[in-house]
């Protein structure tokens, strides 16, 4: 068994998709109208993806995820070249932090679009 996708509510699925495709070399797998008259864009690779959903009305940020049952705390993305992705993250205007070198790999985190935290990991 494997994880196929995660569905996130975002303000602008097309913009978020473009950023994530640029950072992680992903592709748009599908996009279109979706549940509750919203709009969704699926980004990822042939194995897994993020579904980026926007409802038809303006949304607000909820309370801190680490203190909310069911909160999304971060999304971990495995990459082959950590330094290259970190350079892309910086070029896109995001700030990498919480760097760690641990067995079996290295990682950093950044707050991406819609205040979603991403952990970028390399086992190379």
């Amino acid at each position: 068994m494997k994880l196929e996708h995660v569905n996130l509510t975002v303000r602008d699925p097309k913009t978020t998709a473009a950023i994530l495709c640029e950072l992680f070399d992903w592709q748009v797998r599908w996009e279109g109208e979706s549940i509750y008259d919203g709009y969704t864009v699926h980004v990822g690779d042939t194995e897994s993806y993020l579904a980026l959903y926007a409802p038809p009305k303006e949304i607000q940020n909820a309370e801190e995820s680490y203190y909310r049952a069911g909160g999304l705390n971060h999304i971990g993305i495995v990459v082959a070249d950590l330094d290259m992705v970190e350079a892309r993250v910086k070029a896109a205007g995001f700030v990498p932090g919480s760097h760690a070198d641990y067995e079996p790999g290295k990682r950093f985190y950044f707050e991406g679009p819609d205040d979603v935290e991403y952990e970028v990991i390399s086992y190379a």
Side-chain angles (χ1 to χ4, degrees), residues 69-98:
L72 174 69
N73 299 319
H74 64 265
I75 298 170
I77 309 294
V78 176
V79 301
D81 187 336
L82 194 69
D83 294 333
M84 177 191 68
V85 174
E86 185 169 5
R88 289 178 180 177
V89 166
K90 289 177 182 177
F94 301 108
V95 180
S98 299

Side-chain angles (χ1 to χ4, degrees), residues 1-67:
M1 291 182 220
K2 66 179 180 173
L3 180 66
E4 183 203 28
H5 75 276
V6 173
N7 189 312
L8 302 173
T9 299
V10 300
R11 287 182 180 83
D12 184 341
K14 289 184 179 188
T15 298
T16 300
I19 291 168
L20 296 178
C21 286
E22 180 67 27
L23 294 177
F24 300 120
D25 290 328
W26 286 347
Q27 298 83 39
V28 172
R29 292 172 39 129
W30 175 86
E31 69 178 283
E33 295 179 11
S34 58
I35 194 168
Y36 306 124
D37 297 321
Y39 195 84
T40 298
V41 179
H42 293 180
V43 295
D45 59 24
T46 59
E47 298 291 318
S48 62
Y49 64 95
L50 293 178
L52 306 170
Y53 168 78
K57 61 180 184 174
E58 186 175 327
I59 57 174
Q60 302 297 320
N61 284 352
E63 64 189 70
E64 170 64 47
S65 67
Y66 282 92
Y67 295 99

